[in-house]
Amino acid sequence: MDATTLSAAQVYVGTYAKYNNGSLSAAWLDLSDYSDKEEFYEACRELHEDEEDAEYMFQDYDNIPEALISESWISENFFAQRDAVEDSSDTEQEAFFVWCND
């Protein structure tokens, strides 16, 4: 994984309520469309505006190190790290991804 793939990160966002009711109603969101976690969660709220107080479920994701995301959580620092990695040297990027995978 490198900065190019990190900037192409995507998350398939559904909700636990829909999933538990047998629905896979969700959508892929490109994280490059958001500058920070609050913007990302605002998009999640708009996507699932039919639910009050929805619990988001990240059913799948691409180009995100596992250390930065799980089924119900995305790192507070993902967006800052994504931006920093894009501005880093190749050596710094390699060190970052080694750290993420450990």
Side-chain angles (χ1 to χ4, degrees):
M1 187 175 294
D2 57 25
T4 304
T5 55
L6 190 61
S7 65
Q10 298 179 310
V11 179
Y12 192 68
V13 181
T15 68
Y16 283 97
K18 288 178 178 139
Y19 181 81
N20 289 335
N21 287 317
S23 171
L24 295 178
S25 177
W28 282 101
L29 298 182
D30 293 325
L31 296 184
S32 63
D33 292 340
Y34 313 105
S35 62
D36 59 27
K37 188 174 177 178
E38 184 52 42
E39 278 188 10
F40 170 66
Y41 273 99
E42 179 59 34
C44 293
R45 283 188 287 279
E46 290 173 10
L47 178 62
H48 296 289
E49 64 188 358
D50 59 328
E51 285 186 47
E52 186 175 326
D53 213 17
E55 291 181 82
Y56 305 116
M57 181 180 190
F58 304 143
Q59 297 167 317
D60 199 4
Y61 52 88
D62 285 329
N63 301 315
I64 304 174
E66 289 183 11
L68 301 178
I69 193 166
S70 72
E71 182 179 283
S72 61
W73 169 87
I74 188 166
S75 171
E76 288 287 333
N77 300 317
F78 170 80
F79 296 92
Q81 289 173 337
R82 175 200 62 198
D83 296 343
V85 166
E86 289 176 357
D87 295 333
S88 298
S89 70
D90 290 343
T91 302
E92 292 168 326
Q93 288 178 23
E94 183 179 342
F96 173 76
F97 291 111
V98 166
W99 174 78
C100 284
N101 292 325
D102 281 342

